[in-house]
Amino acid sequence: MLSVEKKKSEDLLLNILPAEVAEELKEKGAANAKQFDDVTVLFTDFVNFTQAVEHMTPQQLIGELHICFKAFDEITNKYNIEKIKTIGDAYLAVAGLPTADPNHAEKIVRVAIEINAFMQDRLVELGVRTFPVRIGIHSGSVIAGIVGVKKFSYDIWGDTVNTAARMEQNCDAGKINISQTTYELVKDKFSCVYRGEIDAKNKGSLKMYYIS
């Protein structure tokens, strides 16, 4: 019985934390924050989410969010991408940690393409009972670690995260917006359309590209 309970606890831990971090936490009782220099961060957000809520009951809203985020989880798992968290109707994931991956940018773009395709199909099927999505991507360095004691979570911080959020905020519905840094890493793998330099909140003008 004790071994069953221990297995449940370990499975729960692995559902919250990357395997390497969970192992460190079990061994030491704590996990050190670390800097990762080569990662790519993905932010998604649902457009007109507030308006969509008006067409749905609370049960329909939560049900649709669950279906969408479950699909996002399955896509990120397929590419061994680390989902960090959902924040309301936003979804945050990162490639290149806690294990380095030279293909971090390419993998995140592939994830973004599949997420976008899933949501496009969903819109055709459900119309106003689901949500258009926009996706922002940026590559760089982040700090990752565990915060909190009660309901603790594994999170990432840094300018790379903020810039990925700006990419998402300056994206049209149904599009994937990437930064100049990510573009340089994936331009030989994907067709990209230069959008010019666009003013981003607290960041000044940034070069942006759509994955076409």
Side-chain angles (χ1 to χ4, degrees), residues 129-155:
R129 288 178 290 118
T130 191
F131 331 99
V133 71
R134 58 188 176 199
I135 303 172
I137 296 172
H138 179 56
S139 305
S141 63
V142 299
I143 294 169
I146 295 173
V147 290
V149 178
K150 292 182 70 176
K151 297 183 180 178
F152 62 84
S153 64
Y154 186 74
D155 210 343

Side-chain angles (χ1 to χ4, degrees), residues 153-169:
S153 64
Y154 186 74
D155 210 343
I156 56 175
W157 302 269
D159 188 62
T160 299
V161 182
N162 298 334
T163 303
R166 296 292 177 264
M167 292 298 128
E168 174 264 305
Q169 290 157 5

Side-chain angles (χ1 to χ4, degrees), residues 184-195:
E184 295 297 341
L185 296 172
V186 303
K187 62 185 179 183
D188 296 330
K189 301 279 187 180
F190 303 96
S191 178
C192 305
V193 177
Y194 180 52
R195 302 180 62 202

Side-chain angles (χ1 to χ4, degrees), residues 41 43 136-139 158-170 177-182 200-203 206-208:
V41 175
F43 253 111
I137 296 172
H138 179 56
S139 305
D159 188 62
T160 299
V161 182
N162 298 334
T163 303
R166 296 292 177 264
M167 292 298 128
E168 174 264 305
Q169 290 157 5
N170 288 279
N177 191 33
I178 68 172
S179 68
Q180 176 74 29
T181 309
T182 302
K201 184 180 177 183
N202 299 328
K203 299 293 297 180
L206 299 176
K207 292 180 178 178
M208 301 184 191

Side-chain angles (χ1 to χ4, degrees), residues 12-22 25 82 146 152-154:
L12 184 61
L13 205 57
L14 289 171
N15 198 38
I16 299 169
L17 304 173
E20 293 88 339
V21 178
L25 192 64
E82 198 64 47
I146 295 173
F152 62 84
S153 64
Y154 186 74

Side-chain angles (χ1 to χ4, degrees), residues 1-182:
M1 186 66 181
L2 195 60
S3 61
V4 172
E5 291 304 314
K6 186 181 177 186
K7 175 73 164 56
K8 282 183 183 177
S9 297
E10 289 181 353
D11 288 346
L12 184 61
L13 205 57
L14 289 171
N15 198 38
I16 299 169
L17 304 173
E20 293 88 339
V21 178
E23 197 59 39
E24 185 181 359
L25 192 64
K26 282 194 296 180
E27 286 180 7
K28 300 179 181 177
N32 294 326
K34 294 177 183 175
Q35 178 162 325
F36 298 90
D37 290 326
D38 296 300
V39 304
T40 299
V41 175
L42 170 145
F43 253 111
T44 80
D45 182 54
F46 292 129
V47 183
N48 298 329
F49 181 77
T50 306
Q51 289 91 320
V53 170
E54 296 172 3
H55 300 279
M56 307 165 86
T57 66
Q59 290 77 16
Q60 287 173 329
L61 174 69
I62 297 304
E64 182 58 17
L65 278 176
H66 175 71
I67 288 168
C68 294
F69 286 153
K70 182 172 178 285
F72 294 7
D73 286 348
E74 289 168 356
I75 294 166
T76 54
N77 284 343
K78 185 167 82 170
Y79 289 95
N80 292 319
I81 302 303
E82 198 64 47
K83 172 196 176 177
I84 300 299
K85 61 184 174 182
T86 58
I87 316 115
D89 62 313
Y91 186 96
L92 173 62
V94 59
L97 66 77
T99 303
D101 186 343
N103 300 315
H104 56 90
E106 179 186 345
K107 283 185 177 180
I108 278 283
V109 171
R110 295 197 185 282
V111 164
I113 289 169
E114 291 197 23
I115 285 175
N116 197 43
F118 172 83
M119 291 309 303
Q120 295 299 328
D121 291 343
R122 202 97 186 127
L123 277 169
V124 171
E125 180 185 349
L126 296 176
V128 295
R129 288 178 290 118
T130 191
F131 331 99
V133 71
R134 58 188 176 199
I135 303 172
I137 296 172
H138 179 56
S139 305
S141 63
V142 299
I143 294 169
I146 295 173
V147 290
V149 178
K150 292 182 70 176
K151 297 183 180 178
F152 62 84
S153 64
Y154 186 74
D155 210 343
I156 56 175
W157 302 269
D159 188 62
T160 299
V161 182
N162 298 334
T163 303
R166 296 292 177 264
M167 292 298 128
E168 174 264 305
Q169 290 157 5
N170 288 279
C171 184
D172 292 323
K175 299 285 189 180
I176 301 165
N177 191 33
I178 68 172
S179 68
Q180 176 74 29
T181 309
T182 302

